[in-house]
Amino acid sequence: MEPKTNITELNVSDFAMAFEELTRIFIRMPSIEKLSFTTLSVLHTLSLRSPMRLSELIATEQVTQSAMTQLVIRLERDGLVERRPDPSDGRAVLVRITPQGAKVIDSRRTERIMQIGKLMERLTPEERTSIASALPALTRLAELGND
Amino acid sequence: MEPKTNITELNVSDFAMAFEELTRIFIRMPSIEKLSFTTLSVLHTLSLRSPMRLSELIATEQVTQSAMTQLVIRLERDGLVERRPDPSDGRAVLVRITPQGAKVIDSRRTERIMQIGKLMERLTPEERTSIASALPALTRLAELGND
DNA sequence: TAAATTATATCAGTTATTTATATAAATGTC
DNA sequence: GACATTTATATAAATAACTGATATAATTTA
């Protein structure tokens, strides 16, 4: 088991460092719709899964219940989300993203893709191919991370 | 030029989506030293490059001058950074990370690497190899993004 | 030398977060 | 079914974190 662990450990550290650096860059790329980290994160999560309960958002976003309640109230005020009582549980609230909220995420994503595209153009064809080859594995890694 | 653009565009969109998902997961992995996004980002930036001027941090972190000044004052209060006048410019302040501040970043990184390692173990050897093969290209992409 | 620009501190207000408290709905126990 | 416990969320008070505005001093430019 040990040789396998050593190989994995070496790849992981390098991978993590590269990923860290790319994250640092990509996360700041969009110049539009600059909202707070948690706001963008909530909208992003809701764009993937909607509606969600407050309690679910508290778990995914790792903030306190109070913070999430107040943030969602503000987002509702600004038209980015809407809140409805959960018909299956009288205590709960369902939060869904509005088209306006979705547009925030979509427009930022579009700009980021455009800018990453420009960087990609400056890679060699071999480099681009190696990234494309790793894409299924990266996608799989994300799936594992969501389990 | 067009066929090349189309190929690049296809890869970029898929890559961006996969990256987005991985970012969402990785950024929340560490369970220790949970500080605010900008706080962690400032410490991370200072761990790569130290010392930096306030004005440089304002640019890299994309917050207002006032926000950065106040944040750095709080970080200094908490022992995570230290401030010194810049000997080459009487108006400027140099900010450097303290060992305590560096420990925040290092310990979170260590935990993240450990957890990514666990996910990696669940990939096939082929999947791991494809990611390792793409690593130089990803690293290069990061360099391009820092230009 | 004076004007313009740059660098940063501070203030006042809003947003964003925490802890604490409260209320009601749902679930568990007997 | 009654009561205890847990769950879900709203609200209050305080601090952190952000913005725009203002101020001061150092540096650069004309």
Side-chain angles (χ1 to χ4, degrees):
Chain A
M1 193 67 172
E2 255 181 326
K4 184 171 176 180
T5 303
N6 286 338
I7 293 172
T8 304
E9 194 165 5
L10 176 68
N11 276 336
V12 174
S13 185
D14 290 346
F15 174 73
M17 295 298 291
F19 201 91
E20 205 173 279
E21 192 57 25
L22 286 170
T23 298
R24 211 173 135 261
I25 296 160
F26 289 177
I27 212 165
R28 288 173 183 72
M29 267 181 174
S31 56
I32 56 179
E33 306 282 4
K34 296 197 173 191
L35 305 173
S36 77
F37 176 76
T38 308
T39 296
L40 290 171
S41 187
V42 165
L43 291 176
H44 182 254
T45 299
L46 285 174
S47 74
L48 301 179
R49 257 175 75 199
S50 210
M52 287 173 76
R53 286 191 184 183
L54 272 176
S55 48
E56 291 173 307
L57 285 168
I58 290 157
T60 62
E61 309 309 316
Q62 296 182 0
V63 294
T64 62
Q65 175 262 311
S66 169
M68 186 53 71
T69 301
Q70 290 172 58
L71 173 58
V72 165
I73 287 174
R74 283 196 303 271
L75 291 179
E76 182 186 40
R77 183 198 69 190
D78 296 338
L80 301 182
V81 307
E82 64 186 15
R83 298 194 301 164
R84 295 287 185 275
D86 185 343
S88 63
D89 187 332
R91 306 163 296 182
V93 170
L94 292 179
V95 185
R96 45 176 55 91
I97 196 167
T98 62
Q100 184 185 343
K103 183 166 176 299
V104 168
I105 298 299
D106 290 340
S107 60
R108 284 176 59 89
R109 180 182 288 139
T110 300
E111 191 190 331
R112 187 185 294 112
I113 289 174
M114 188 195 65
Q115 292 194 37
I116 295 182
K118 285 182 184 168
L119 294 184
M120 288 280 196
E121 283 174 10
R122 295 164 67 185
L123 295 182
T124 65
E126 290 79 27
E127 284 173 329
R128 286 203 290 270
T129 300
S130 71
I131 291 176
S133 300
L135 215 38
L138 292 173
T139 304
R140 173 105 179 85
L141 196 59
E143 285 166 13
L144 292 176
N146 274 322
D147 288 349
Chain B
M1 193 68 171
E2 254 179 330
K4 183 175 179 179
T5 303
N6 286 339
I7 292 172
T8 303
E9 194 164 5
L10 177 67
N11 275 337
V12 174
S13 186
D14 290 345
F15 173 73
M17 294 299 289
F19 201 91
E20 203 174 282
E21 193 57 27
L22 287 169
T23 298
R24 211 175 133 259
I25 296 160
F26 289 177
I27 212 165
R28 289 173 181 73
M29 267 183 173
S31 56
I32 55 180
E33 306 280 5
K34 295 198 174 191
L35 305 172
S36 77
F37 176 75
T38 309
T39 297
L40 289 172
S41 187
V42 166
L43 291 176
H44 182 253
T45 300
L46 287 174
S47 74
L48 301 178
R49 257 175 73 202
S50 209
M52 286 173 75
R53 285 191 185 184
L54 272 175
S55 48
E56 291 174 305
L57 285 168
I58 290 157
T60 62
E61 309 310 315
Q62 296 182 358
V63 294
T64 63
Q65 174 260 313
S66 167
M68 186 53 70
T69 301
Q70 290 173 58
L71 173 57
V72 165
I73 287 173
R74 282 196 303 271
L75 291 179
E76 182 186 40
R77 182 198 68 190
D78 297 339
L80 301 183
V81 305
E82 66 186 12
R83 298 195 298 162
R84 296 284 187 274
D86 184 343
S88 63
D89 187 331
R91 305 163 299 184
V93 170
L94 291 181
V95 186
R96 45 176 55 91
I97 195 168
T98 62
Q100 183 185 343
K103 184 169 178 296
V104 169
I105 299 298
D106 290 338
S107 59
R108 284 177 60 89
R109 180 183 286 140
T110 300
E111 191 190 330
R112 188 187 292 114
I113 290 174
M114 188 196 63
Q115 292 194 36
I116 295 182
K118 286 182 182 166
L119 293 184
M120 289 281 196
E121 283 174 9
R122 295 165 66 186
L123 294 183
T124 67
E126 290 79 29
E127 284 171 330
R128 287 203 290 270
T129 299
S130 71
I131 291 175
S133 299
L135 215 41
L138 292 172
T139 304
R140 173 104 178 88
L141 195 59
E143 285 165 11
L144 292 176
N146 274 321
D147 290 349

